[in-house]
Amino acid sequence: MRNLSQLELWFAAGSQSLYGDETLVTVQEHSEDIAHGLSQSSQIPVNIIPKPVMTTADGITKLCAEANRNDRCIGLIAWMHTFSPAKMWIAGLSTLHKPLAHLHTQYNRSLPWSTIDMDFMNLNQSAHGDREFGFIGARMGLNRKVIAGFWRDDAVLKELGIWTRAAAAWHDSQGLKIARFGDNMRNVAVTEGDKVEAQVRLGYLVAGYGIGDLADCMAEVSGREIDKLVAEYDEVYETAPPLRRGGKCRPALREAAKIELGLTAFLEEGGFQAFTDNFEDLHGLAQLPGIAVQRLMAKGYGFGAEGDWKTAALVRAMKVMNIGLQGGTSFMEDYTYDFGEPAKVLGAHMLEVCPTIAGRRPSLEIHPLSIGGKADPVRLVFTAGSGPAVNACLVDLGGRFRIVANEMEVVQPEKPLAKLPVARAVWVPKPNLEAAATAWIYAGGSHHTSFSQALTMKHLEDFAQIAGIEFLSIGNRTHLEDFRKELRWNDVYYLLNWR
């Protein structure tokens, strides 16, 4: 998925026949104006499609059924222009499987104080009608997003735009296919998880393949295809001398291109949007996939190392939310610390960090890898640019899934990292390293994460809310005593409400 404008949110205004045809015509006109205005906003990346005014239970039920069936529809926006008796919404909302946003607004910003009469009051009573709709949402325990404010205001458009991106990521997750080459890294706990529960709860289809299946695809790659891709490498990246034409490591670069082409063909043929590999299982590959994984992430694929399919799925979701925004999203790992002032994290992985977060043009290099027992792998080397970012992980606690996220500020290394031949990012966690790491560990957060300089906590929180899973936020307002209480309260809540 490269363009969210192919997707739709359906805008449904609620009313009732009691007000007469003339009023309903006006309600429809206002509804269409709002939908058009929302669609025109740069904050909202999908099309907003106005639907006929909802005045009957049958009409509402039909709308919800159509939304469920429509592949382009990622959710509904509901707004009660007038009073809309909420019992007629029960049947439809009971069957709705798409995300729901309740926009609490009104068509007019200001009241005509000197001329206002009861006709105006009866027409423009969202303050009345939305509370009725809000009650039925609470009474039914609906998982919905409530946004209040004037529909033209930037704050409202921004909040709706964030939720829209989360809804698009959820839409993409339904039936998300994740290919696992090999199994999880042996004896590692956090990369494990219940794949059946993940499909039931989150829509993920996780399928395992032998590395020989990838090797078979690589065997079909032609020399001409390799020549073309290697020429692209030379053009796009700063190629190190050993990898240039005539260099002693040029054959390794061609092998890396062969891996990328074979992996791309496998994923495209199988309709996969995310994948994992494992350096403990590389039979049939000359080198661990480095640049291949990095470039596939840059194209929007999710990835997790060592068989970590949950992180691969979250990277994909955040890639979808990221579409059209400034900044990139990548697989990441908290690697090592600097306990200076302020204390910092050096994040990296052996090879697989996405170049969308690069602060400048990446360098294409080859270096030994002291793990895996294979030939020296080719990789892109760079440092992430400075600025705000978030790190998030998806973990399986056995009884439920949990997203843990940390706000942070990416900074530049204090000195050049001349001897560190991997892509990396340096950041200061919020509120500080000690508190953030303590909270992360109490929450059971994984060492693998999805890192983004494009998204905020709000994107992740809305995605977790749509998914109906637990969300834990670590940032400037985090106090460890309160955080530990939140963990205990959540244990009780999900024990009572998970099923």
Side-chain angles (χ1 to χ4, degrees), residues 168-364:
W170 178 249
H171 180 76
D172 181 77
S173 295
Q174 305 315 291
L176 176 71
K177 295 182 67 176
I178 306 168
R180 296 172 68 240
F181 296 105
D183 202 351
N184 297 89
M185 183 177 174
R186 289 184 283 276
N187 295 316
V188 176
V190 76
T191 57
E192 296 284 356
D194 187 336
K195 302 179 191 68
V196 173
E197 188 71 4
Q199 189 167 358
V200 171
R201 289 283 176 182
L202 303 172
Y204 304 157
L205 176 59
V206 186
Y209 295 89
I211 200 71
D213 295 317
L214 175 56
D216 288 343
C217 278
M218 291 169 53
E220 299 295 320
V221 174
S222 70
R224 181 176 297 179
E225 291 175 296
I226 294 174
D227 291 341
K228 182 178 179 181
L229 184 55
V230 168
E232 182 180 331
Y233 292 165
D234 289 336
E235 180 180 352
V236 174
Y237 309 114
E238 294 287 347
T239 306
L243 294 173
R244 293 174 187 167
R245 188 182 302 275
K248 66 177 182 178
C249 295
R250 190 70 169 185
L253 183 62
R254 293 182 62 83
E255 184 66 26
K258 185 177 181 180
I259 293 174
E260 179 179 342
L261 290 164
L263 184 52
T264 301
F266 184 97
L267 297 174
E268 288 180 350
E269 183 177 344
F272 296 102
Q273 298 88 28
F275 66 102
T276 72
D277 63 17
N278 182 357
F279 65 82
E280 290 183 323
D281 189 356
L282 292 175
H283 304 295
L285 271 64
Q287 57 181 266
L288 179 64
I291 187 174
V293 173
Q294 292 177 293
R295 283 170 52 88
L296 282 165
M297 272 195 286
K299 293 176 181 178
Y301 285 92
F303 173 76
E306 289 94 53
D308 190 351
W309 54 270
K310 297 186 300 299
T311 299
L314 185 59
V315 170
R316 168 64 182 188
M318 292 172 66
K319 287 280 189 184
V320 172
M321 287 187 267
N322 192 161
I323 292 173
L325 297 178
Q326 294 294 317
T329 293
S330 176
F331 172 75
M332 186 59 72
E333 179 173 278
D334 293 67
Y335 227 106
T336 190
Y337 293 146
D338 175 64
F339 280 111
E341 182 58 43
K344 307 175 189 67
V345 178
L346 173 56
H349 203 256
M350 294 183 297
L351 302 172
E352 309 95 337
V353 174
C354 180
T356 58
I357 69 169
R360 60 182 61 183
R361 188 182 187 191
S363 173
L364 180 58

Side-chain angles (χ1 to χ4, degrees), residues 189 217 340 382 385 408:
C217 278
F382 54 84
M408 55 205 194

Side-chain angles (χ1 to χ4, degrees), residues 36 78 104 319 348 463 480:
H36 178 72
H104 181 42
K319 287 280 189 184
F463 179 78
L480 288 175

Side-chain angles (χ1 to χ4, degrees), residues 18 53 61 63 66 97 129 212 235 355 384 427 470:
L18 180 66
V53 178
T61 302
L63 175 73
E66 290 174 349
H97 302 312
E235 180 180 352
W427 64 82
E470 183 182 7

Side-chain angles (χ1 to χ4, degrees), residues 10-32:
W10 290 2
F11 189 87
S15 188
Q16 60 179 325
S17 299
L18 180 66
Y19 297 109
D21 292 342
E22 184 177 347
T23 295
L24 293 179
V25 168
T26 303
V27 171
Q28 182 67 43
E29 291 173 351
H30 289 180
S31 175
E32 291 176 359

